[in-house]
Amino acid sequence: MKIHTKRFAAGAALAMVASLGLAACGSDDNGGGGSDSDATTVTFLPKNLGNPYFETSDAGGEKAVKEFGGTYDEVGPDTAGPDAQVTYIDTAAAQGVNALIVSANDPTALCDSLNAAREAGTKVVTFDSDTDPECRDLFINQATAEGIAKVQVEMIAEQIGDEGEVAILSAAANATNQNAWIDMMKAELEASHPNIELVDTVYGDDDDQTSFDKTAALLADHPNLKGIISPTTVGISAAARYLSTSSAKGKVALTGLGTPNQMRDYIEDGTVTEFALWNPEDLGFLSAYAGKALADGDITGKEGDTFTAGDLGEFTVGENGTVLLGDPYRFNKDNIGDFDF
Ligand code: RAM
């Protein structure tokens, strides 16, 4: 599969640069604009703090903000609850932040706050997990939902010989992104894999321990289970940790969406053969540049608008105010050593 961005190909080197940059700057640092009151202020609001996926995406955002001389901040709840992000949105609006970059835990629960922030002049960019389109100015999509669903179904089908019982271990029950992918995975299974039966869908809330416990319960409840798909980086790594020391290791396949650093041990010890993701750093980087283009009035978010995101190049706004990063990418024992995020 073709890798979309130049920077993804150089993943290892870039992740090191990003982490060095972070160590030097801290999360609240001015991104190079000094005390310049004209500097674009950009606040990242992930689903929850402490998730390595968002640490990487938000570091990409910080890198972009430094590049264009803005001011970066990151805020967020500890748990990925449906309305846990509301107070952070209200605070950002009260502060007059120029661009708020949000991964939504719920498609509608944030809408009143987001729209109030927009009324007050803050541009709202969703990334990773969207709200309803009328609650934001742009959505930065990591890959098409169809593509993300398809790659996960293909991987599990390959890993279980295209037959048997599978289950899904998801994130929070209301997560817009996971729910869209699950709907499409179900459709893809029905259309193209008649011998695979989806027997259960459970929710680990993007919490490590909850996801670990839900994996144990899945195995206990479904003794004939042949595979688990976990479309969340938190879920797949917790499930892999559980499987790696259980008698199901090597018997129950596990795939989904993970970060190379969280999955490396489980690829190396044979618990997992292949999983997928995109480059979260590029996603955050692109989102920050989109926020700046909106805040500067260079674009309004309508279809056909174009803007440049540093060395990622030029992007065009598509249907429903959506900008697409690229394609999902498969990681396995042959290539995982090339990545460090
Ligand atoms: C988790 C979050 C995030 C999702 C990734 C794949 O980190 O749920 O929203 O995009 O997994």
Side-chain angles (χ1 to χ4, degrees):
M1 184 181 291
K2 186 172 172 295
I3 300 175
H4 172 70
T5 68
K6 320 183 264 267
R7 299 204 297 129
F8 200 166
L14 269 152
M16 280 179 65
V17 171
S19 58
L20 287 171
L22 259 186
C25 298
S27 71
D28 281 337
D29 271 10
N30 182 282
S35 57
D36 181 356
S37 59
D38 293 337
T40 308
T41 49
V42 181
T43 295
F44 271 69
L45 174 52
K47 281 180 173 176
N48 54 347
L49 297 179
N51 175 348
Y53 171 88
F54 288 114
E55 283 165 7
T56 305
S57 64
D58 296 7
E62 182 175 23
K63 186 176 166 203
V65 173
K66 285 176 84 171
E67 231 174 63
F68 58 68
T71 303
Y72 168 86
D73 197 8
E74 185 201 43
V75 295
D78 293 328
T79 53
D83 50 15
Q85 293 164 302
V86 165
T87 56
Y88 298 94
I89 297 166
D90 295 347
T91 302
Q95 290 168 339
V97 162
N98 298 129
L100 181 62
I101 319 288
V102 187
S103 172
N105 280 313
D106 185 290
T108 56
L110 310 181
C111 282
D112 288 350
S113 286
L114 289 176
N115 280 329
R118 293 167 76 199
E119 290 281 307
T122 296
K123 298 297 177 185
V124 172
V125 175
T126 51
F127 79 117
D128 175 69
S129 182
D130 201 7
T131 55
D132 287 350
E134 54 276 12
C135 320
R136 45 72 173 165
D137 296 294
L138 273 183
F139 170 49
I140 311 301
N141 196 5
Q142 48 272 55
T144 63
E146 292 85 350
I148 295 170
K150 198 159 192 262
V151 72
Q152 294 181 86
V153 168
E154 276 172 12
M155 289 187 297
I156 202 69
E158 287 164 16
Q159 292 171 22
I160 66 171
D162 209 10
E163 63 180 348
E165 294 184 4
V166 300
I168 294 174
L169 168 65
S170 190
N174 290 357
T176 324
N177 53 347
Q178 272 88 12
N179 285 341
W181 304 334
I182 289 170
D183 283 349
M184 288 183 185
M185 287 197 281
K186 285 181 180 164
E188 177 70 13
L189 283 169
E190 271 169 33
S192 309
H193 302 275
N195 298 324
I196 298 181
E197 188 191 358
L198 177 63
V199 292
D200 213 345
T201 300
V202 297
Y203 300 92
D205 294 335
D206 270 349
D207 176 73
D208 178 71
Q209 189 61 45
T210 311
S211 305
F212 186 88
D213 295 343
K214 294 277 169 130
T215 306
L218 273 180
L219 293 172
D221 292 348
H222 304 285
N224 296 321
L225 199 65
K226 286 190 69 183
I228 298 172
I229 305 173
S230 187
T232 144
T233 59
V234 179
I236 194 174
S237 60
R241 195 171 81 253
Y242 183 85
L243 286 177
S244 68
T245 60
S246 88
S247 58
K249 179 182 170 189
K251 297 190 187 117
V252 175
L254 170 65
T255 191
L257 304 175
T259 69
N261 285 352
Q262 286 182 287
M263 298 304 289
R264 193 176 319 280
D265 288 352
Y266 308 115
I267 289 280
E268 280 166 7
D269 76 5
T271 305
V272 173
T273 53
E274 195 168 50
F275 62 95
L277 200 68
W278 42 90
N279 186 338
E281 185 190 343
D282 286 353
L283 185 66
F285 187 88
L286 171 57
S287 303
Y289 266 101
K292 177 175 168 53
L294 287 165
D296 288 354
D298 295 341
I299 61 171
T300 60
K302 70 174 187 320
E303 189 170 351
D305 276 354
T306 59
F307 64 98
T308 300
D311 68 0
L312 285 184
E314 188 176 85
F315 289 81
T316 303
V317 178
E319 253 185 293
N320 286 323
T322 295
V323 177
L324 186 63
L325 176 66
D327 293 319
Y329 182 78
R330 293 186 185 206
F331 299 90
N332 52 47
K333 69 172 172 10
D334 296 331
N335 63 19
I336 197 162
D338 298 338
F339 298 94
D340 184 11
F341 64 83

